[in-house]
Amino acid sequence: MPFPPLFHPISAAALLLIAPAVAFAEAPEGDLPPPQTTAVAVPAGQIEAAIEQLDERAETLMERSGLPGMAVAVVHEGETVYASGFGLRKMGEEAKVDADTVFQLASLSKSISATVVAQQVAEGVVSWDTPVTEFLPDFKLADAWVTEHVTIGDLFSHRSGLPDHAGDNLEDLGYTREEVLSHLHLLPLSPFRDTYAYTNFGLTAAAEAVAAAAGRDWESLSEDALFAPLGMSSSSFRFAHYAARENRAHGHVRVGDDFEALYVRQPDAQSPAGGVSASVNDMARWMALLLQDGRFEDQQILPPGALLEPMTAKMISSPSYAPDARPSFYGYGIGVGIEASGRVSLSHSGAFALGAGTNYTLLPSLDLGIVILTNAAPTGVGEALAMEFSELVQYGGISRDWYAAYQPLMEPILAPIGELVGKEPPSEAVEPAPLAHYAGVYDNPYFGTAEISNGAEGLRLTIGPAHLNYRLSHWDGDSFTYRPFGENAPAGSISKVTFERDGEKAAALTIEFLNEQGLGRFERQD
């Protein structure tokens, strides 16, 4: 999806939110080295008091937001100390959410994928510095040197130079995972290892390389390397498993003042980056694994230290916008932030425009983590509840209305796209050429074929392996519009289609919705 990652509640909104004021404790914690020392002590009983408030905080946010359903779990010192569900799995039905309800996790999948890779690194199958082409010899980027040197770690930390959300629009058109990856070399690159840009399919390529090294498909590898050993019995990278679960949360989108379950997000193409489904009970096991250095209950699932690489900063994801603003970072599939207290936090958010909003936040110095899964397009509830809990734990109170801070940040993310949104056609629009002159088959090396047909309803655009079909409405002269809709085009989006005519017939067309990287021009083939 096109949403910027919300790794840590503070860092995601760094340009807009002001961190709460913090009173220093009388003394730093123990005799820890300076980099591990925090300025705010947590008194005995304060964590338990914060957990006791979770029901009330969650119910309040559910009421304010109108969310259909939500599940929350907390782990502390290796144990699940809280797990509960709120609301409904699907609006209009009676089934309630509980701690075993399976949700789509969206981009929380990246952190879980990083754990799978860490297991394979520990086994000696790959390293984070393994070049992707060592196991995916056909993988290419626009630059031959970068192609040769880009590593699994580069792609898991979003520093390959690929543009933001590279390949997502191909997925929307119906391209498979393999097809999307084979097209990435056509995209322009930013400086290698010097720029951060969030890419679902870049990370997916790295995961595919790990799976190839292991001689398995990614989905099976994840089951054997992580889910089975950890007892995550409701978790899967396969959409079919989610769809077959009776106790699953359905995705919802906002329609007016309500939420409705209208669409289904099928993320198999980018499964390592966004395709996991799981319950909060399962996610609690995974959080405990991270916080306990690879141990769960009485079993050492991963060798000690195996998770250090993904859990530590590799790239600056949000540079400081002011001298007193904290930056945020990204490890391998995991966001790394610094709390106002001085504590390091590990986190990630996930979102599907078609119906998922998720967040987890870990405080390693307290051996504490919370996960929030919701079944609606992102509202900011997950981030707000994580922030409220984090403040209650560390400071004993909540410094501000975090939902009021986060909810407006989600509105632009879900806003319709297109330069003509909200505009009316020109009052003195130039008439188009005869519609038959626009009809034909047009080709694009990145997006493939676009067909313009002329029928009783006028012009129609058919595009992509999914054969998406749209009616074109005349705008002005050789310009038309259509209304795309999907994971990367929120409801109300408008895309211009501009034809170039050579004599009578159109020789090319440019689709605004597909032209963000300047690749949206299609040339006539017939």
Side-chain angles (χ1 to χ4, degrees):
M1 62 163 311
F3 304 166
L6 304 178
F7 311 126
H8 181 268
I10 293 176
S11 65
L15 297 178
L16 298 175
L17 301 184
I18 300 174
V22 177
F24 281 81
E26 292 182 1
E29 294 182 335
D31 297 318
L32 291 171
Q36 293 176 268
T37 300
T38 58
V40 180
V42 174
Q46 193 158 281
I47 292 175
E48 291 74 15
I51 293 169
E52 289 176 0
Q53 295 190 50
L54 274 174
D55 280 358
E56 178 184 356
R57 302 310 311 171
E59 289 167 357
T60 297
L61 287 169
M62 287 279 292
E63 182 177 354
R64 290 180 66 184
S65 65
L67 273 179
M70 176 169 67
V72 183
V74 174
V75 295
H76 186 221
E77 296 180 344
E79 301 289 336
T80 300
V81 293
Y82 177 91
S84 187
F86 304 86
L88 303 174
R89 301 178 204 165
K90 185 178 182 180
M91 293 294 282
E93 299 183 1
E94 295 182 356
K96 295 184 181 298
V97 171
D98 59 36
D100 290 314
T101 300
V102 173
F103 289 74
Q104 291 185 293
L105 301 189
S107 283
L108 269 59
S109 306
K110 295 176 175 65
S111 301
I112 294 176
S113 291
T115 314
V116 175
V117 176
Q119 189 273 346
Q120 291 294 286
V121 171
E123 292 286 328
V125 176
V126 295
S127 76
W128 290 105
D129 294 329
T130 297
V132 171
T133 54
E134 183 172 331
F135 295 104
L136 292 184
D138 293 333
F139 180 76
K140 291 192 300 182
L141 296 177
D143 182 277
W145 191 93
V146 175
T147 297
E148 181 182 353
H149 289 85
V150 68
T151 66
I152 292 166
D154 291 327
L155 291 168
F156 260 84
S157 56
H158 307 298
R159 64 189 184 200
S160 67
L162 281 168
D164 185 68
H165 285 82
D168 285 8
N169 45 20
L170 292 178
E171 180 192 16
D172 284 352
L173 297 179
Y175 285 93
T176 66
R177 184 184 306 177
E178 294 73 20
E179 289 169 335
V180 174
L181 298 185
S182 71
H183 283 64
L184 295 182
H185 71 282
L186 297 171
L187 293 170
L189 293 178
S190 296
F192 180 47
R193 294 178 182 162
D194 192 41
T195 51
Y196 172 92
Y198 189 76
T199 58
N200 291 308
F201 282 98
L203 187 145
T204 295
E208 284 291 284
V210 175
R216 311 286 304 283
D217 64 84
W218 174 259
E219 291 75 11
S220 298
L221 173 63
S222 302
E223 291 164 5
D224 294 341
L226 181 64
F227 295 152
L230 199 51
M232 296 175 68
S233 58
S234 69
S235 302
S236 178
F237 276 91
R238 306 175 196 269
F239 175 79
H241 289 176
Y242 160 77
R245 303 277 186 193
E246 181 179 353
N247 187 3
R248 74 180 186 278
H250 296 254
H252 295 72
V253 295
R254 191 179 289 281
V255 179
D257 293 331
D258 300 315
F259 283 98
E260 296 184 23
L262 298 179
Y263 311 106
V264 178
R265 174 70 164 102
Q266 213 286 36
D268 276 352
Q270 58 164 271
S271 186
V276 176
S277 57
S279 67
V280 292
N281 271 335
D282 271 13
M283 288 298 289
R285 289 172 171 262
W286 172 79
M287 291 192 298
L289 181 80
L290 268 63
L291 291 166
Q292 295 284 306
D293 195 17
R295 188 173 184 83
F296 181 71
E297 296 179 342
D298 295 327
Q299 185 178 1
Q300 193 73 41
I301 306 294
L302 293 175
L307 292 167
L308 180 62
E309 288 298 312
M311 295 170 66
T312 50
K314 300 296 184 291
M315 283 294 289
I316 298 175
S317 55
S318 295
S320 299
Y321 63 90
D324 61 346
R326 293 182 296 278
S328 58
F329 309 91
Y330 203 80
Y332 293 145
I334 296 176
V336 181
I338 304 170
E339 297 281 323
S341 64
R343 298 183 189 277
V344 171
S345 63
L346 306 175
S347 58
H348 214 297
S349 285
F352 286 156
L354 301 184
T358 60
N359 176 272
Y360 76 82
T361 299
L362 310 179
L363 297 173
S365 63
L366 297 176
D367 200 352
L368 181 71
I370 184 170
V371 60
I372 304 104
L373 308 179
T374 76
N375 61 346
T379 60
V381 164
E383 291 74 20
L385 184 56
M387 198 64 192
E388 289 180 355
F389 180 70
S390 178
E391 289 200 329
L392 287 168
V393 162
Q394 296 180 88
Y395 319 129
I398 298 172
S399 67
R400 63 181 298 176
D401 184 342
W402 286 103
Y403 178 65
Y406 281 111
Q407 193 272 333
L409 296 178
M410 302 300 169
E411 293 178 355
I413 292 173
L414 297 176
I417 61 174
E419 65 177 77
L420 299 180
V421 171
K423 297 181 180 179
E424 295 293 331
S427 57
E428 299 181 1
V430 176
E431 290 293 319
L435 297 186
H437 293 179
Y438 301 108
V441 176
Y442 299 79
D443 188 62
N444 177 286
Y446 184 69
F447 292 107
T449 298
E451 181 180 357
I452 303 295
S453 57
N454 181 26
E457 295 182 346
L459 297 181
R460 299 194 71 88
L461 164 68
T462 303
I463 188 169
H467 302 291
L468 302 178
N469 189 269
Y470 304 100
R471 179 179 178 272
L472 296 185
S473 299
H474 182 247
W475 184 263
D476 185 22
D478 291 326
S479 294
F480 295 75
T481 64
Y482 73 98
R483 293 186 175 272
F485 177 76
E487 183 59 36
N488 295 284
S493 295
I494 299 175
S495 176
K496 183 188 290 187
V497 178
T498 304
F499 291 89
E500 304 169 29
R501 284 193 294 129
D502 183 7
E504 291 187 344
K505 283 191 173 184
L509 63 85
T510 298
I511 299 176
E512 177 198 0
F513 177 55
L514 303 179
N515 201 40
E516 183 178 1
Q517 300 296 330
L519 301 176
R521 186 175 184 273
F522 294 69
E523 295 187 355
R524 180 186 284 275
Q525 297 300 301
D526 61 345

